Amino acid sequence: MKGIYFINDRISLNGLTKEESIKLQEQTILPYIQKNNIQVVKLNPYQIYDYYTIPHALLHDLKKHRNYLDCLIQYSPIVMEDFINTYPARWFILKSFFKEVITIEEKDLPVKHIV
């Protein structure tokens, strides 16, 4: 399975600093990638990190290379929320390059049943 992961480096999660929020996202996503044998794809050879931090850059690289991948992995819906609300059409195009968008935080939450 091939995928790309996204880390929002401009957001503070759970009252953490931005640096701590980046570490939280990495420490949550990387074990998931290893456990599920996901091969991280690096579309841009000039990219510093193995992950993307800018949705526009990710979309640009996906369009340029015409790559369709198995998954886009993100920590939580919050990390992409601003992009989704500001650019809904671009979000629709971006996620169309992936079979699924995996959100790690939701997978660890207990199931709540309505009685």
Side-chain angles (χ1 to χ4, degrees), residues 60-106:
H60 175 268
D61 288 350
L62 288 166
K63 285 180 174 179
K64 181 179 177 182
H65 297 283
R66 285 288 183 210
N67 278 11
Y68 292 90
L69 303 167
D70 296 307
C71 59
L72 170 63
I73 306 164
Q74 62 183 3
Y75 170 74
S76 154
I78 295 170
V79 299
M80 201 63 90
E81 186 176 55
D82 188 47
F83 180 76
I84 293 169
N85 291 333
T86 307
Y87 306 101
R90 288 186 183 186
W91 169 246
F92 182 76
I93 295 167
L94 190 150
K95 70 180 186 172
S96 74
F97 283 93
F98 301 94
K99 289 181 184 173
E100 66 178 321
V101 176
I102 298 171
T103 302
I104 304 298
E105 183 187 54
E106 288 178 349

Side-chain angles (χ1 to χ4, degrees), residues 18-88:
K18 290 181 182 181
E19 292 79 17
E20 292 169 332
S21 294
I22 293 168
K23 285 181 185 177
L24 171 66
Q25 292 174 74
E26 285 180 320
Q27 291 172 350
T28 306
I29 292 171
L30 291 177
Y32 180 86
I33 288 171
Q34 291 173 347
K35 178 183 171 188
N36 293 284
N37 296 320
I38 298 170
Q39 178 186 352
V40 176
V41 176
K42 197 170 182 178
L43 300 174
N44 184 344
Y46 301 107
Q47 187 174 315
I48 296 172
Y49 304 108
D50 287 338
Y51 55 85
Y52 278 84
T53 59
I54 302 169
H56 295 286
L58 172 56
L59 180 58
H60 175 268
D61 288 350
L62 288 166
K63 285 180 174 179
K64 181 179 177 182
H65 297 283
R66 285 288 183 210
N67 278 11
Y68 292 90
L69 303 167
D70 296 307
C71 59
L72 170 63
I73 306 164
Q74 62 183 3
Y75 170 74
S76 154
I78 295 170
V79 299
M80 201 63 90
E81 186 176 55
D82 188 47
F83 180 76
I84 293 169
N85 291 333
T86 307
Y87 306 101

